[in-house]
Structure formats: C-alpha cells, structure tokens
C-alpha cells in the first residue's frame, strides 16, 4: 500500500513532517484505519529496533587483536592506514631493521645466484672455489643456508609480525598461507637434501625455495612499511 | 551517596560511569597499555560486534570486528576525549564497515576466498524467540535499506549524519528507512 | 564538468562527478594511486590525460602535476577514502605507474613502460614497452602484447603472459605460470604450488629456466629447435612427445640432453611434478586438468 499518506508515516513518527503536512495527515489518520494501523506497526518496529540487545561474539576475539597490535605503540594523530604510496622499487625501506635485512638480502641474492647454476659457476658463495672433479663439495656455510639468510629471514619476520596489524585480515591470511606453502616446500627439499647431500639439483632447489621465502617476506614487509 | 563525616558528599566507586572508566582506559591505552585496551575491548565488543553483524553478516563479523579494534588502537592517539570513547569507537566502526562493504562489493565475483563469506548460513545461538526473528528479518533487507535502518533505528544516527556517511541525500535516507520499516512490520509478531 | 587546464605545477582537488582533461608533453609520466576501486587506463593519440570518476561524497580525486609527473590519487574527506573507479585516457607513449590496495587494474593500448602494484586486486594489461613490471599479492596477473624487460608476479593467483617478447621473469607462489605465444630471449618462470607452461620460440643463446616445487613443467619445442636441456626432478617424472637422446646418464632423476645443435640453455626443474616436452599446439598446453582451479 504505497499511497501518499502511508509514505509520510515514518517522517510523521520521527517528528520530521512540516507543520501543514502534519495537520493534514492527522486529519486523515482520524478516518483511516489502515493508516492508523500502519503507524502503530511502524512505531513498534522502531521501538523493537531500539530494544535490540547486543551480543558478544561466540569466540573471544581478543587474542587475535592482541597479536596484531603486538607491542607497537599507537601512533599519535596520524592516520594509520594511508593510501599505499610506493616509495620506489624494491629497495626502499623506512624501518632500520628492514634496511639491515635488505642489505643481507642483496648479498644473499648474489650468493644464491651462484647456487642456482650448478655446473656453470662454483658452488661456493665465495667465488674462488671450483668443485673438484667427481666430487661435489658444498661449503658448510652455503649448505646451512648461512647465518646471513637466517638473519635476514628473522629480521623480516619480526617486521611482519610487529606490523601485521596494519594490514587487513584477508591480506595477512594470504601472506601467511603462502609463507606456509613455501615453508612446506623448504622442509621437503631439506629432507631430500639430507638424504642426498651431494645432489646439485636438490641443493640448488632448496636455495631457490629459500630465496622465494625471502622474496615473499620482503614483499610483505614492504607492504607493512607502505601503510605506516 | 554517603555523606562523609566532613559533610562533603563522596561518590561511591560504582557510580563512576562507564564513560569515566573508558576515558581513563583510553588514556592508558593511547600510551601503549594493552591491558587497558583489553578492558575497553571487553566493555565494547558486544556492541561493535552486533553492529557489524547487522550491517554486514555473521560470517564477516569476527574479522571486521577485529579490524575495528586494531584500527582503534592505531588511532587512539587522535582520540581527544571530546566525545565518549564508545561514541568515538562506534563512529570508527561505521567507517571501517562502510569501506569494507564497498571493496567487497567491487570484488563480489572475483574474491574466491570471500565466496563462502557471502553465503547466508544462519548460525545463531538460541535466544529470545522474538528478537531472533526480527534480527533475521533485518538481515534480509536489501543492503541500502538495511544499512540505513540499522544506523537510524538501531544505532540512533540522524538522517543528516547517515546521508553524510553513506554519500546519499537525506531524502533518500528517509525513504529507505520508511521502506525498511514497512518491510519489517510483517516480522513483528512471531 | 569538462575542464581543460594548462598546469605546469599545481593541484586540482575534485569532488562530485569528475571529468577533467589536461595537456601533457612527451617525457611526462602518469602515476595513479587509489586505495580501492578500479584503475582503468586506455590510450589515445592526443597529448592529454583525461580523468573520469564518480566518487562518493566522502572521497575526492586529486590530480596534480609536478615536473615530469602527472599524479592522480584519491583521498577521503573524513577518514579513509571510499572505493572509486578511476577511468583514465592517456597518450600511448606515456609511462604508467599504477598502484592500489583493493585495486583492480586494467590497461589497454599502452606503448610505454608500465609498473602496476596491487594487493587485493587483479591486473590485466595489454601493451607495455621497455620496463614492464606487474605485481599483485592476492589477484591474478595477465599481460598481453608486452615488449622488453618484463616482470610479472602474483603471490596467490595465476600469472599469464601472452604474445609478448623480450626478457621475461614470471613468478607465482600459489598459482600457475603460463606463457603462450611468447617470444622470450631469456626466461625465468617459477612457482611453488602450480604448473609452469611455456609455448614460444627458443632462441640460440637464450636461457630458459622453468621451475616448480609441486607442479608440472610443460615446454613446447618446435622442430628444429637448438637447445641444451637439463631436467631435474626429485619425486616427479619426465615425459616427451618426441624422442630425445639422453647425453648424460640419468643419475637420480637429473639428466641432460641436446636438441639440434644445442644453442639455447634450457633448465626444467620440478621437485614433485611431471616435466614434459611437447610440440607447439599440443593439447597438454591448454589441457583442462582436474587440479587446483
């Protein structure tokens, strides 16, 4: 029933009708049962809406929130989520730890490049050593992935952990899921290498997969710094 | 109020209003006190979560409610105490919801992860029968009318404020409210 | 509102429906940034940039020119910007730098360098010359008709490169990497969870590296191709649609062979998937498989 009278009922209820219209409507209400009923209904809807009770969520959300706010101090007065402004290509970071991790990444990328071309260039990160005929020697530092790699990963993971509150839930979920996929691939490659440590392909694949993890962490960390 | 022996009235602790303890906790939280922020969370999560649920859906409510509190933590520095903390938080929540609605709307076909979120799977705990059906009816309103109804009749915003928040004319807000109320009157008696 | 303005240094903040055109000169580049919405860039022959948008009342579109950069971005008038679709027409020669968070980006007809970065959005570019770099975290990335130094990257979805040429690097973590009718002088195609497919010429002196952890590698090889191929897998298999002569024995699932005179260097690696050589046009390149779609 959408006639001009009923269309005014909500405004009348909310006391928003101009005086003339209000007078006409009130005269109409005296003779129209349908409109009077509708008005009463609308009032009950509004009252019921006001009376809706709030419910806590089924799960306690605080742990998730606490994890995302971490120990970071709230910023003062500056909007935390601004437009994502690219500050340049991959190597521009604002956070000191990021800069340190970034240097480690560049050194390592150079190192990893050696490992990715088995048979073409020496396997060692330090370039002067060539593999001896028939025996593949992989220096301990390269095999362990080197302190540099682990350090860079730890730094970037810390930046991501501290700053992930600034990213929205869906993005965090995508990053975490893909880091897990890469970690799983690294674990499989690692197991394979332990069983066959002289295998050139396995070693280079492990190095390449680790590099992919570093790349994804770097990308996530630069997202974090882009929204801070 | 218990008059003290010196004749000056003393307020009992319980009479310190919600907004006073909020103000104290907000100040503490703004300087990094996570326990204070947790108290604020516990005091306001029911209201915020319910708001998200009514404006969006059950599925998204947990995620978005979390995002609201995380954003509130980040913006605490800009809360100057001109309004009650609850009011400030509520306004912030509405902002988060509105931006989230739009981005979800844009990517409705292509957000693979979100497909499940957009399905309406009722999963509610048992509560007062009347309340339950009315809330379900709200959920089934078309988006625009639903947002306006929730903001006006449930949350108490004025049409001018709603028009500003949603980017519509005040007249649109009024007519959508009316449509929502007319649709909901059928669900009053069950 | 049609506004033609000659601006060398200045800013326009536009609210309400936007339709603004400003003249530009060769050498200038276009930067577009938005939080959410679409960024659609088309080309025309005019030396001008036209920006069309219909933002909500809570958002304004800011167009500014500073030296050689024309910049378009969105700002919320109170709080964060709401989503807005930016429809832009720019000269084909103009370099593009497009970014956003919840932004889907499409580009058509561009003939200059292009950089696109988005987080939760899809990227679909036709064109691009010189440095072409496309990246999304959540969404798929597709490039058609690009030329030059090409880098396409998605974390969670597929990467597709069609009818493009040059030095190509295509990477995904949880997606497929497909390169079709692609003329690469060097290629690095890699993913963790997904297949890699390459269908294009193999040039003497080129280097082609295709690798995956869990997925299959499919390489199309035309008759007469010259390549030194090394195949490495740990738990996977090797198949070929045509006979190959293994020159270095199969030791532990790694072996080499030579096609023709061996001019190009080809490395095919998959930890657990199948590595296969096919002829161009083979159904294996376009196969519908029962996998992770």
């Amino acid at each position: 029933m959408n006639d001009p009278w009923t269309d005014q009922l909500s405004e009348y209820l909310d006391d928003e009708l101009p005086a003339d219209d209000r007078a006409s409507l009130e005269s109409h209400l005296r003779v129209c049962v349908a409109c009077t009923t509708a008005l009463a209904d609308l009032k009950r809807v509004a009252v019921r809406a006001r009376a809706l009770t709030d419910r806590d969520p089924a799960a306690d959300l605080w742990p998730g929130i606490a994890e995302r706010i971490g120990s970071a101090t709230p910023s003062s007065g500056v909007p935390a989520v601004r437009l994502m402004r690219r500050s340049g290509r991959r190597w521009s970071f604002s956070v000191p730890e990021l800069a340190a991790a970034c240097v480690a990444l560049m050194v390592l990328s150079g190192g990893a490049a050696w490992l990715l071309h088995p048979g073409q260039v020496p396997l060692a990160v330090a370039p002067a050593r060539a593999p001896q005929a028939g025996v593949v020697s992989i220096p301990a530092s390269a095999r362990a992935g080197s302190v540099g790699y682990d350090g860079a990963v730890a730094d970037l993971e810390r930046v991501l952990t501290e700053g992930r509150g600034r990213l929205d839930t869906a993005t965090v979920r995508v990053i975490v899921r893909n880091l897990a996929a890469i970690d799983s691939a690294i674990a499989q490659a690692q197991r394979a290498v332990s069983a066959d440590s002289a295998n050139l392909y396995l070693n280079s694949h492990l190095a390449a997969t680790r590099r992919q993890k570093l790349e994804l962490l770097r990308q996530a960390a630069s997202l974090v710094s882009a929204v801070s | 109020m218990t008059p003290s022996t010196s004749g000056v009235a003393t307020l009992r602790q319980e009479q310190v209003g919600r907004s006073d303890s909020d103000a104290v906790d907000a100040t503490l939280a703004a300087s990094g006190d996570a326990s204070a922020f947790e108290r604020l969370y516990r005091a306001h999560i029911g209201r915020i979560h319910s708001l998200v649920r009514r404006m969006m859906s059950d599925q998204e409510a947990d995620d978005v409610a979390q995002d609201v509190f995380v954003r509130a933590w980040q913006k605490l520095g800009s809360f100057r105490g001109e309004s009650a903390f609850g009011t400030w938080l509520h306004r912030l929540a509405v902002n988060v919801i509105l931006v989230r609605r739009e981005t979800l709307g844009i990517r409705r076909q292509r957000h693979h992860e979100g497909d499940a979120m957009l399905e309406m799977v009722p999963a509610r705990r048992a509560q007062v029968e009347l309340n339950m059906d009315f809330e379900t009816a709200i959920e089934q309103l078309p988006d625009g009318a639903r947002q306006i109804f929730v903001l006006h009749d449930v949350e108490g915003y004025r049409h001018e404020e709603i028009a500003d928040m949603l980017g519509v004319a005040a007249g649109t807000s009024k007519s959508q409210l009316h449509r929502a109320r007319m649709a909901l009157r059928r669900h009053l008696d069950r | 509102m049609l506004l033609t303005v000659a601006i060398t240094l200045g800013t326009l903040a536009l609210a309400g429906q936007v339709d603004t055109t400003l003249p530009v000169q060769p050498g200038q580049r276009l930067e577009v940034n938005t939080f959410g919405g679409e960024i659609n860039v088309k080309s025309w022959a005019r030396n001008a940039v036209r920006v069309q948008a219909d933002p909500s009342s809570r958002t304004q579109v800011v167009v500014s020119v500073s030296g050689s950069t024309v910049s378009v971005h969105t700002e919320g008038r109170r709080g964060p910007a709401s989503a807005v679709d930016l429809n832009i027409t720019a000269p084909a020669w103009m370099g593009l730098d497009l970014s956003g968070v919840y932004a889907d980006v499409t580009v058509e007809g561009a003939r200059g360098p292009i950089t696109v970065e988005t987080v939760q959005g899809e990227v679909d570019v036709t064109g691009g010359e010189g440095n072409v770099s496309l990246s999304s975290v959540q969404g798929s990335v597709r490039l058609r008709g690009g030329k030059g130094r090409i880098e396409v990257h998605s974390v969670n979805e597929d990467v597709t490169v069609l009818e493009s040429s040059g030095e190509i690097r295509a990477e995904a973590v949880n997606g497929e990497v497909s390169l079709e009718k692609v003329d690469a002088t060097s290629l690095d195609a890699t993913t963790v969870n997904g297949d890699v497919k390459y269908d294009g010429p193999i040039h003497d002196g080129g280097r082609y590296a295709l690798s995956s952890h869990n997925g299959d590698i499919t390489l199309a090889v035309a008759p007469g191709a010259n390549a030194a191929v090394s195949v490495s897998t740990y738990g996977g298999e090797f198949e070929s649609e045509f006979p190959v002569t293994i020159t270095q024995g199969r030791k532990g699932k790694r072996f080499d062979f030579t096609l023709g005179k061996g001019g190009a260097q080809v490395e095919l690696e998959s930890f657990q998937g199948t590595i296969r050589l096919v002829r161009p046009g083979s159904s294996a390149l376009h196969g519908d498989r029962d996998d992770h779609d």
Side-chain angles (χ1 to χ4, degrees):
Chain A
M1 185 174 45
N2 279 340
D3 58 57
W5 295 118
T6 46
D7 282 350
Q8 293 183 359
L9 288 177
S10 278
E11 284 185 82
Y12 175 71
L13 182 64
D14 297 335
D15 221 358
E16 280 165 358
L17 269 191
D20 299 342
D21 294 337
R22 186 167 61 231
S24 323
L25 182 61
E26 281 173 348
S27 327
H28 174 77
L29 283 172
R30 280 192 273 276
V31 299
C32 176
V33 172
C35 284
T36 312
T37 314
L39 180 66
D41 282 349
L42 294 184
K43 181 161 185 179
R44 284 166 63 206
V45 167
V47 166
R48 174 71 58 75
R50 275 285 144 78
L52 281 182
T53 50
D54 293 329
R55 276 204 321 266
D56 280 0
D60 182 9
L61 303 176
W62 174 251
I65 295 168
E67 194 190 331
R68 283 170 67 189
I69 66 181
S71 53
T73 317
S75 57
S76 46
V78 175
V81 178
R82 285 209 303 261
L83 303 172
M84 179 172 102
R85 253 168 253 276
R86 275 187 342 108
S87 42
R89 251 341 237 162
R90 298 165 180 259
W91 311 118
S92 59
F93 298 102
S94 50
V95 178
E97 302 102 323
L98 265 178
C102 155
V103 169
L105 172 62
M106 284 197 282
V107 167
L108 266 156
S109 290
W114 294 106
L115 293 168
L116 280 174
H117 297 263
Q120 292 270 321
V121 286
L123 286 168
V125 172
R129 209 169 331 161
Q132 296 163 13
V135 173
V136 172
S137 68
I138 299 163
S141 60
R143 193 189 314 129
S146 95
V147 170
Y149 168 85
D150 289 333
V153 166
D155 283 342
L156 290 168
E157 279 177 339
R158 187 172 57 245
V159 171
L160 179 58
T161 306
E162 283 171 2
R164 65 192 255 174
R166 293 179 223 143
L167 302 175
D168 70 280
T169 316
T171 302
V172 170
R173 201 157 38 226
V174 166
I175 290 172
V176 165
R177 209 166 64 200
N178 281 280
L179 281 172
I182 299 176
D183 278 339
S184 153
I186 289 176
Q188 291 176 327
Q190 241 154 6
R191 279 197 294 276
V193 166
S194 332
D196 188 0
S197 58
N199 189 313
L200 299 178
Y201 160 63
L202 290 178
N203 277 283
S204 78
H205 182 65
L206 174 59
T209 315
R210 282 180 165 162
R211 184 182 56 79
Q212 280 172 308
K213 174 169 178 175
L214 212 44
E215 286 289 326
L216 180 53
L217 279 173
R218 180 212 52 76
Q219 188 176 7
S222 76
L223 283 181
V224 163
S225 68
V227 294
S228 43
Chain B
M1 278 198 293
T2 314
S4 75
T5 50
S6 69
V8 173
T10 321
L11 281 174
R12 287 204 301 257
Q13 186 55 33
E14 307 86 279
Q15 285 176 295
V16 174
R18 170 84 258 149
S19 54
D20 286 345
S21 57
D22 275 355
V24 169
D25 282 334
T27 310
L28 290 171
S31 62
D33 184 344
S35 319
F37 192 64
E38 183 177 355
R39 289 192 291 273
L40 291 170
Y41 161 80
R42 303 239 172 256
H44 294 277
I45 182 60
R47 181 135 187 260
I48 299 299
H49 194 264
S50 303
L51 172 68
V52 179
R53 233 175 34 242
R54 289 167 195 143
M55 292 276 280
M56 303 182 80
S57 75
D58 239 357
Q59 277 64 41
E60 304 158 272
D62 281 6
D63 271 359
V64 177
Q66 269 202 48
D67 285 344
V68 168
F69 277 92
V70 173
R71 176 82 65 82
W73 171 262
Q74 291 159 351
K75 299 197 81 170
L76 267 175
S78 68
F79 172 59
R80 303 261 171 260
E82 305 109 344
S83 57
F85 176 79
T87 308
W88 177 85
L89 180 65
H90 198 267
R91 200 61 197 254
L92 187 147
V94 172
N95 265 333
V96 170
I97 291 166
L98 291 179
V99 172
R100 185 62 53 89
R101 281 213 78 91
E102 281 167 358
T103 52
L104 275 182
I106 287 159
R107 295 157 46 235
R108 57 190 157 268
Q109 285 123 359
R110 291 170 293 203
H111 189 194
H112 307 293
E113 233 190 286
D115 282 342
M117 285 190 332
L118 296 175
E119 274 173 37
M120 298 297 248
V121 177
R124 298 178 179 276
R125 294 178 303 184
Q127 267 215 3
V128 178
E129 198 68 38
L130 246 32
N131 230 14
M132 214 23 68
D133 283 307
F134 190 68
E135 284 218 53
T136 313
I138 295 176
E139 248 190 66
Q140 278 159 13
L141 289 172
D143 280 356
R146 172 176 165 186
Q147 285 174 15
I148 288 167
F149 176 78
V150 170
L151 289 171
H152 188 277
D153 276 2
V154 180
E155 301 295 338
Y157 286 93
R158 294 187 327 268
H159 286 295
E160 294 71 31
E161 293 173 304
I162 294 170
D164 190 42
M165 290 190 286
L166 299 185
V168 299
T172 306
S173 182
K174 291 181 186 177
S175 61
Q176 288 287 304
L177 174 68
H178 180 66
R179 278 180 54 186
R181 285 172 171 172
M182 292 291 275
L184 287 171
R185 62 194 272 236
R186 285 189 290 274
H187 300 277
L188 280 172
D189 296 314
R190 240 181 274 153
Chain C
M1 161 177 81
L2 192 71
L3 194 71
T4 308
V5 183
I7 306 177
T8 48
L9 185 80
T11 301
L12 282 176
L14 305 158
Q17 209 159 24
V18 172
D19 189 347
T20 284
T21 302
L22 36 96
V24 292
Q25 296 164 338
Q28 287 187 301
R29 45 186 269 279
L30 177 65
E31 239 180 51
V32 181
N33 177 283
T34 185
F35 179 69
E38 289 174 16
I39 300 177
N40 298 315
V41 179
K42 290 189 163 53
S43 299
W44 59 8
R46 299 176 53 183
N47 281 353
V49 169
R50 182 180 187 190
V51 180
Q52 290 167 286
D54 194 359
S56 77
S57 63
R58 287 167 38 236
T59 301
Q60 53 190 18
V61 176
V62 180
V63 180
S64 57
V65 180
S66 172
S68 61
T69 304
V70 176
S71 149
V72 179
H73 72 266
T74 58
E75 262 177 26
R77 304 215 285 170
R78 221 168 311 177
S82 50
V84 53
D85 295 343
L86 298 171
N87 292 305
I88 298 175
T89 320
W93 51 257
M94 203 165 195
L96 304 175
D97 195 328
L98 316 174
S99 63
V101 180
Y102 286 97
D104 291 316
V105 180
T106 65
V107 175
E108 249 177 275
R111 295 255 61 94
I114 303 178
T115 302
V116 176
E117 269 189 33
T118 182
V119 178
Q120 297 259 352
E122 288 181 0
V123 180
D124 192 334
V125 170
T126 305
E129 266 179 45
N131 285 319
V132 178
S133 166
L134 314 177
S135 156
S136 172
V137 175
Q138 163 63 20
S140 62
V141 177
R142 187 170 170 274
L143 171 68
R144 178 196 290 269
K147 273 194 247 184
R149 282 163 302 282
I150 294 172
E151 265 190 43
V152 282
H153 187 259
S154 169
V155 174
N156 209 40
E157 295 282 344
D158 299 341
V159 167
T160 310
V161 181
L162 305 161
E163 295 157 17
S164 301
S165 62
E167 294 158 23
I168 302 179
R169 192 186 167 79
E171 262 194 51
V173 177
N174 193 39
E176 217 178 75
V177 176
S178 318
L179 303 115
E180 259 177 81
K181 302 203 185 56
V182 164
D183 189 353
T185 50
S186 83
L187 173 68
D188 224 304
T190 171
T191 179
V192 178
N193 276 345
D195 302 332
V196 180
K197 299 182 200 166
Y198 177 75
D199 177 8
I202 294 173
H203 293 280
D204 284 1
R207 183 182 158 261
Y208 304 81
L210 286 70
S211 96
S212 171
H213 185 83
N214 278 327
D216 300 336
I217 309 290
T218 306
L219 177 74
V221 181
N226 296 315
V229 183
S230 90
V231 171
S232 307
T233 177
Y234 178 65
E237 299 297 324
F238 173 73
E239 295 169 3
S240 172
E241 276 182 5
F242 49 88
V244 299
T245 315
I246 312 284
T247 53
Q248 181 170 333
R250 290 174 98 116
K251 2 181 181 178
K253 306 261 200 159
R254 183 178 175 258
F255 53 92
D256 302 334
F257 56 89
T258 307
L259 298 173
K261 300 195 222 61
Q265 187 191 332
V266 175
E267 287 159 27
L268 308 175
E269 299 178 352
S270 172
F271 189 76
Q272 313 199 112
T274 302
I275 299 175
R276 56 171 71 86
L277 297 185
V278 301
R279 287 298 183 204
S282 161
S283 59
L285 287 164
H286 310 282
D288 293 326
R289 254 165 288 134
D290 52 2
D291 51 25
H292 39 261
D293 272 341

